[in-house]
């Protein structure tokens, strides 16, 4: 079935004789109408006066069966007022249809996110990453992509020799077995604080041993790898995040060696006097960088090149990396090199800014990182303090608050995270969305009938209906722009509309017709917020 926007776009195309796309159809302020089309651009293409053109076609457009009235406004706006019964039916049909009408697509898309490194707990940078990556995998799936989410672990390279070396020097098997992550991280920090040149050299030797397949080195490496994954799995489970597959830099370490040989043959890379291999970019577009060390080991970048090719061979049509903006240059270099290799898998760095916590609101654990699970613990603790209404929800509310705070700001921007703002029940927050959703559910629980469109919509009801109608385009937009904030901000605006409806329009105490019509709106609101929250990875509760 065609959407209203599609029908308007094709009708306008026909009437004015210029190509009009769905994206040209706007949502004006409620007082101006339900949909709008600015004629100005088409008019200038056609060499006509915009206002004149708008007036010329408005009458014919009014003849469309679902259009009640078309106004011409300003320099050349066509404002469409729809037949409200038709509009309502259309909105409710969409909301009630599976996945709001989104159809499966053929595109196989890879969504890579989280990717923590070995022997370290996840930190607050991973918090934003996890929120964004998980929401994006949900959104992409919802709009119909065949999504594979991947956790590409940082499990290869010089750092890992360091942990082995430190373990052999200071480590204890008992302490490791007791609390693996704490022990590994302690060793890591100690090495950082105390290592001299000799230690560093010895640590490098261990890294080389892993690459060369030395038995003891590989065994310890495996032990640390598994312990890291086990530890992180608890955080993912708590955040309700699932990956379709777990890989790691180690998986492509061998292919990275092949890539280097191939790059040398093709003249993409060059060998330096000391035996290392580097790449230079045309016109010094990006700084030149090394892809193989003189000791023969590969680098983060070389492994990423091998990995793009692997994904291309696996048949992916799109390749998304959710990685912080600190790595912008890395991905620019990577994509440039991939192109030179003739790899044509469309790849995108879905970059995002920093998350800053309020000064002094968390003490960073030794090693100067703020651990992801400490932030979540704190959110849950705070949620239980303010909430205090029903026990058992504070985990969901605390997590909801943190996730919303991470997702509601557009990803390119940094976030200033304030505990009070994040955990409020008023306004722009996770708990506010969860609360509005449960408030509507409690109306439905008390109702003895299902909603039905009857009688005339009041102004408040119609505003809510219009807001609800925006849901498919908001989700589609979020998918296209890889921007969960579009869904988050939409839900916040929707809840605001719902709450003013709630205060102005009694539902269960209203006359039969009004009650049924309002119930229908409340049902639709619950469907949209249940789904929307799920797309953000936030739990929709039954009551709060
Ligand atoms: N493990 C890396 C880090 O912690 C992130 C990996 C991002 N993904 C990639 N394909 N480079 O910085």
């Amino acid at each position: 079935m065609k959407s209203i926007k599609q029908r308007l776009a094709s009708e306008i195309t026909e009437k004015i004789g210029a190509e009009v796309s769905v994206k040209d159809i706007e949502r004006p302020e409620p007082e101006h109408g339900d949909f709008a089309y600015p004629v100005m651009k088409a008019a200038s293409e056609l060499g006509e006066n915009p206002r004149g053109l708008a007036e010329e076609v408005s009458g014919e457009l009014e003849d469309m069966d679902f259009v009640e009235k078309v106004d011409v406004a300003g320099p050349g706006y066509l404002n469409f007022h729809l037949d409200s019964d038709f509009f309502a039916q259309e909105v409710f049909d969409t909301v009630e249809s599976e996945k709001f009408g989104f159809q499966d697509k053929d595109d196989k898309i890879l969504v890579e996110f989280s990717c923590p490194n070995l022997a370290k707990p996840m930190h607050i940078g991973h918090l934003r990453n996890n929120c964004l990556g998980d929401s994006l995998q949900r959104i992409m799936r919802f709009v119909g992509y065949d999504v594979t989410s991947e956790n590409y672990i940082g499990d290869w390279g010089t750092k890992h020799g360091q942990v082995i070396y430190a373990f052999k020097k200071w480590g204890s098997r008992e302490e490791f077995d007791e609390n693996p992550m704490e022990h590994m991280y302690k060793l890591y920090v100690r090495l950082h604080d105390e290592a001299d040149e000799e230690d560093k050299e010895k640590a490098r030797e261990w890294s080389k041993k892993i690459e060369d397949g030395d038995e003891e080195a590989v065994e310890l490496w495996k032990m640390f790898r598994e312990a890291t994954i086990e530890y992180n799995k608890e955080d993912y489970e708590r955040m309700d995040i699932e990956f379709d597959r777990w890989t790691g830099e180690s998986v492509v370490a061998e292919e990275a060696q092949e890539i280097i040989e191939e790059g040398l043959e093709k003249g993409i890379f060059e060998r330096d006097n000391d035996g290392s291999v580097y790449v230079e970019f045309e016109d010094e577009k990006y700084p030149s960088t090394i892809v193989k060390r003189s000791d023969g080991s590969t680098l983060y970048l070389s492994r990423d090149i091998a990995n793009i090719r692997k994904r291309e061979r696996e048949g992916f049509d799109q390749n998304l990396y959710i990685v912080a903006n600190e790595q912008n240059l890395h991905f620019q270099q990577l994509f440039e090199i991939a192109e030179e290799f003739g790899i044509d898998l469309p790849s995108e760095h879905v970059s995002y800014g920093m998350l800053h916590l309020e000064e002094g609101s968390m003490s960073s654990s030794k090693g100067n990182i703020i651990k992801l699970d400490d932030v979540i613990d704190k959110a849950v603790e705070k949620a239980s303090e303010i909430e205090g209404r029903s026990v058992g929800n504070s985990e969901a509310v605390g997590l909801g608050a943190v996730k919303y705070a991470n997702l509601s700001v557009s990803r390119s921007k940094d976030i200033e995270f304030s505990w009070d703002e994040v955990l409020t029940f008023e306004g722009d927050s996770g708990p506010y969305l969860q609360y509005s959703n449960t408030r509507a559910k409690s109306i439905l629980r008390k109702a003895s009938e299902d909603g039905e469109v009857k009688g005339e919509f009041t102004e408040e009801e119609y505003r809510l209906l219009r807001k609800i109608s925006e849901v498919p385009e908001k989700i589609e937009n979020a998918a296209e722009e890889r921007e969960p904030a579009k869904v988050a901000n939409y839900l916040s605006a929707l809840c605001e509309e719902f709450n003013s409806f709630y205060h102005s329009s009694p539902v269960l105490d209203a006359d039969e017709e009004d009650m049924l019509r309002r119930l229908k709106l409340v049902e639709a609101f619950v469907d949209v917020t249940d789904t929307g929250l799920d797309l953000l990875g936030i739990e929709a509760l039954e009551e709060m």
Side-chain angles (χ1 to χ4, degrees):
M1 199 181 58
K2 279 179 145 192
S3 71
I4 295 178
K5 278 190 170 186
Q6 282 166 333
R7 273 184 272 181
L8 286 173
S10 61
E11 193 72 13
I12 302 171
T13 299
E14 193 180 302
K15 293 290 177 309
I16 68 172
E19 195 58 47
V20 174
S21 91
V22 176
K23 294 227 152 59
D24 300 322
I25 310 290
E26 299 174 358
R27 298 272 191 168
E29 288 301 311
E31 55 276 22
H32 294 151
D34 301 311
F35 293 91
Y37 171 68
V39 182
M40 288 74 91
K41 202 175 114 230
S44 92
E45 276 164 26
L46 296 164
E48 292 197 40
N49 170 294
R51 177 94 200 181
L53 181 61
E55 268 155 11
E56 203 177 296
V57 295
S58 64
E60 286 178 83
L61 290 167
E62 228 163 52
D63 291 342
M64 294 177 80
D65 57 1
F66 59 89
V67 174
E68 198 178 86
K69 186 163 73 115
V70 182
D71 292 332
V72 175
Y77 278 98
L78 286 164
N79 288 333
F80 295 84
H81 301 262
L82 302 198
D83 174 84
S84 59
D85 283 340
F86 167 88
F87 187 42
Q89 201 50 55
E90 184 80 17
V91 175
F92 294 129
D93 283 351
T94 305
V95 169
E96 283 161 20
S97 65
E98 202 190 330
K99 299 213 291 168
F100 302 155
F102 284 104
Q103 304 283 316
D104 284 348
K105 303 184 190 350
D106 289 331
D107 266 21
K108 271 183 70 174
I109 172 164
L110 189 122
V111 178
E112 185 215 271
F113 69 101
S114 201
C115 310
N117 296 328
L118 285 205
K120 281 197 242 171
M122 288 194 273
H123 53 73
I124 84 166
H126 293 107
L127 181 62
R128 188 163 188 194
N129 188 307
N130 291 348
C131 293
L132 274 171
D134 185 44
S135 177
L136 275 172
Q137 73 160 324
R138 290 165 185 261
I139 291 170
M140 291 299 173
R141 227 167 246 133
F142 192 84
V143 303
Y145 287 103
D146 177 359
V147 174
T148 301
S149 57
E150 176 174 323
N151 196 348
Y152 175 72
I153 310 281
D155 63 358
W156 206 247
T158 41
K159 300 181 281 266
H160 310 304
Q162 294 171 1
V163 193
I164 296 183
Y165 173 71
F167 183 71
K168 291 198 60 89
K169 187 164 175 167
W170 302 301
S172 130
R173 197 57 198 235
E174 258 163 44
E175 272 184 48
F176 176 83
D177 288 339
E178 186 90 356
N179 191 336
M181 182 54 84
E182 198 173 293
H183 191 53
M184 288 187 292
Y185 193 57
K186 208 171 83 190
L187 292 172
Y188 178 88
V189 173
R190 179 156 178 197
L191 189 78
H192 251 251
D193 292 347
E194 295 180 18
D196 55 22
E197 274 316 306
E198 196 192 324
D199 288 320
K200 283 187 189 150
E201 182 49 39
K202 287 198 178 133
R204 268 195 290 275
E205 280 165 23
W206 277 103
S207 309
K208 186 76 178 109
K209 281 192 189 175
I210 312 175
E211 292 224 0
D212 295 342
D214 172 271
E215 206 176 312
E216 187 189 8
V218 171
E219 201 174 299
L220 285 170
W221 170 79
K222 275 195 183 141
M223 182 173 96
F224 297 144
R225 185 178 196 273
E226 257 145 51
T228 310
I229 291 178
E230 274 316 301
Y231 181 87
N232 288 333
K233 273 191 174 158
E234 279 175 35
D235 286 332
Y236 296 130
E237 212 166 286
R238 196 170 181 197
M239 294 185 77
D240 193 22
I241 295 177
E242 284 177 33
F243 295 95
D244 296 310
R245 64 187 204 187
W246 294 66
T247 62
E249 294 179 38
S250 61
V251 175
V252 286
E254 252 176 63
E255 288 164 61
Q257 293 286 3
E258 290 162 24
I259 277 284
I260 287 158
E261 289 315 310
E262 196 183 319
L264 282 167
E265 274 163 38
K266 290 189 166 149
I268 302 169
F269 300 151
E270 261 164 273
R271 198 184 293 279
D272 217 338
N273 295 333
D274 63 356
S276 63
V277 177
Y278 63 95
V279 53
E280 259 171 11
F281 296 92
E282 223 179 271
D283 303 327
E284 292 174 27
K285 189 165 163 193
Y286 306 117
S288 94
T289 184
I290 178 166
V291 290
K292 182 177 177 167
R293 292 200 187 79
S294 55
D295 67 2
S297 57
T298 59
L299 285 104
Y300 178 57
L301 178 61
S302 16
R303 293 187 285 275
D304 257 332
I305 307 167
N307 199 26
I308 292 208
R309 184 149 73 179
K310 171 169 167 277
R311 289 176 185 172
E312 183 189 40
R313 288 178 176 158
E314 286 170 335
F316 286 103
D317 300 295
Q318 285 186 62
N319 179 25
L320 306 188
Y321 298 87
I322 322 304
V323 182
N325 58 15
E326 298 157 332
Q327 297 196 30
N328 284 354
L329 176 63
H330 169 79
F331 283 98
Q332 285 161 349
Q333 291 171 321
L334 171 64
F335 298 155
E336 184 80 17
I337 298 170
E339 203 182 316
E340 287 182 40
F341 270 89
I343 299 167
D344 60 12
L345 167 59
S347 297
E348 223 178 289
H349 175 203
V350 180
S351 173
Y352 60 86
M354 287 269 286
L355 173 64
H356 305 281
L357 293 191
E358 288 163 294
E359 189 79 36
S361 75
M362 299 270 317
S363 62
S364 55
S365 46
K366 28 178 194 325
N368 285 320
I369 64 160
I370 294 171
K371 283 168 42 186
L372 175 145
D373 38 11
D374 288 345
V375 181
I376 296 178
D377 282 345
K378 175 133 185 174
V380 171
E381 186 194 309
K382 291 215 165 225
S384 69
E385 283 164 18
I386 355 175
E387 195 194 358
R389 308 169 204 227
S390 85
V391 203
N393 275 345
S394 45
E395 180 80 12
V397 174
L399 269 160
V402 166
K403 289 186 178 185
Y404 185 83
N406 273 281
L407 294 170
S408 57
V409 174
S410 83
R411 61 181 163 78
S412 62
K413 294 201 184 117
D414 288 358
I415 296 177
E416 304 299 331
F417 186 100
S418 128
W419 288 105
D420 289 341
E421 278 171 35
V422 162
L423 279 153
T424 169
F425 280 80
E426 326 276 311
D428 205 20
S429 75
Y432 173 68
L433 302 193
Q434 286 171 314
Y435 180 61
S436 309
N437 170 269
T438 56
R439 185 179 235 184
K441 280 176 180 157
S442 90
I443 301 176
L444 298 185
R445 266 197 304 275
K446 288 183 209 132
S448 46
E449 288 167 84
D450 286 340
E452 209 183 322
V453 181
K454 293 254 179 189
E456 295 278 309
F457 286 95
T458 64
E459 202 181 308
E460 284 82 13
E461 294 165 18
Y462 200 71
R463 286 178 70 108
L464 178 57
L465 177 74
R466 279 172 44 110
K467 236 340 165 224
I468 293 172
S469 79
E470 292 173 19
V471 68
E473 65 204 58
K474 294 292 181 187
I475 297 175
E476 179 153 20
N477 210 232
E480 277 172 6
E481 295 180 21
R482 288 67 161 115
E483 187 69 280
K486 302 269 175 195
V487 172
N489 297 331
Y490 163 69
L491 287 180
S492 166
L494 174 65
C495 288
E496 205 171 306
E497 207 64 83
F498 174 77
N499 286 310
S500 43
F501 157 84
Y502 181 90
H503 289 297
S504 67
S505 321
V507 180
L508 300 172
D509 295 336
D511 293 345
E512 178 78 3
E513 272 200 351
D514 290 348
M515 175 189 73
L516 289 173
R517 190 178 63 252
R518 289 172 190 171
L519 272 177
K520 189 83 183 160
L521 281 166
V522 178
E523 288 165 4
F525 172 78
V526 169
D527 282 344
V528 170
T529 44
D530 273 350
T531 300
L533 285 168
D534 186 61
L535 292 177
L536 301 179
I538 297 177
E539 192 179 341
L541 300 163
E542 286 310 310
E543 49 195 352
M544 267 170 94

